[in-house]
Amino acid sequence: MKKSILLVSHSQMITDGLKEMIEQMGKSENVVLFSLGGTSDGELGSDPTKIVDAVNEATDSDIFFVFADLGSAVLSAELAYDLLEPELQEKYVLVDAPLVEGAFAAGITASVSDDPDHIVNEAKQAAQKGWN
């Protein structure tokens, strides 16, 4: 199963760094990461068309796990969903988890598992440090 992880943030530097970290820790030919931070002109912000373009580019992906950091990045990810063709919407999973911890856990888990529920659950639990 081919899995794509879409990293959406207001900062390209954040998503580039996170992409690099996940790629170094969880090497897998079945997981593709997309750094979708910032606007299309390189400024801070988010851009739903970058997300749509990434999904349309990854035509061989069976599922897209989408992680976003702040309010308008989440809105961009939701708007991107609305702009996708119905067959791609079925593969598009908005994951309610922290961008860094959640996407990292999803990336590592996706490198060894094809179970979407397992991948999402690991992402959602990733921020629980257990500090007292």
Side-chain angles (χ1 to χ4, degrees):
M1 171 187 260
K2 186 82 167 217
K3 297 151 280 206
S4 288
I5 297 177
L6 310 178
L7 307 171
V8 183
S9 172
H10 290 76
S11 169
Q12 182 76 43
M13 292 175 67
I14 288 173
T15 57
D16 285 349
L18 181 55
K19 178 179 184 282
E20 179 183 5
M21 186 173 70
I22 296 168
E23 286 175 341
Q24 286 185 16
M25 299 293 288
K27 297 179 189 324
S28 173
E29 294 177 11
N30 294 322
V31 179
V32 179
L33 293 139
F34 290 89
S35 174
L36 304 171
T39 63
S40 57
D41 60 357
E43 298 295 321
L44 288 176
S46 59
D47 184 349
T49 60
K50 286 176 73 171
I51 302 166
V52 170
D53 290 345
V55 171
N56 287 328
E57 174 186 321
T59 56
D60 60 342
S61 282
D62 298 297
I63 192 163
F64 299 91
F65 297 102
V66 185
F67 293 86
D69 59 0
L70 303 171
S72 63
V74 172
L75 292 175
S76 288
E78 292 172 342
L79 179 56
Y81 171 86
D82 293 335
L83 298 171
L84 292 170
E85 295 297 323
E87 64 273 6
L88 292 174
Q89 288 178 339
E90 293 175 14
K91 301 177 178 185
Y92 192 87
V93 180
L94 293 164
V95 184
D96 187 10
L99 175 65
V100 175
E101 296 91 339
F104 181 80
I108 301 305
T109 305
S111 70
V112 296
S113 174
D114 286 336
D115 180 353
D117 291 332
H118 180 219
I119 295 165
V120 169
N121 286 334
E122 289 298 316
K124 288 182 175 183
Q125 295 175 19
Q128 298 172 2
K129 292 179 181 60
W131 291 351
N132 294 320

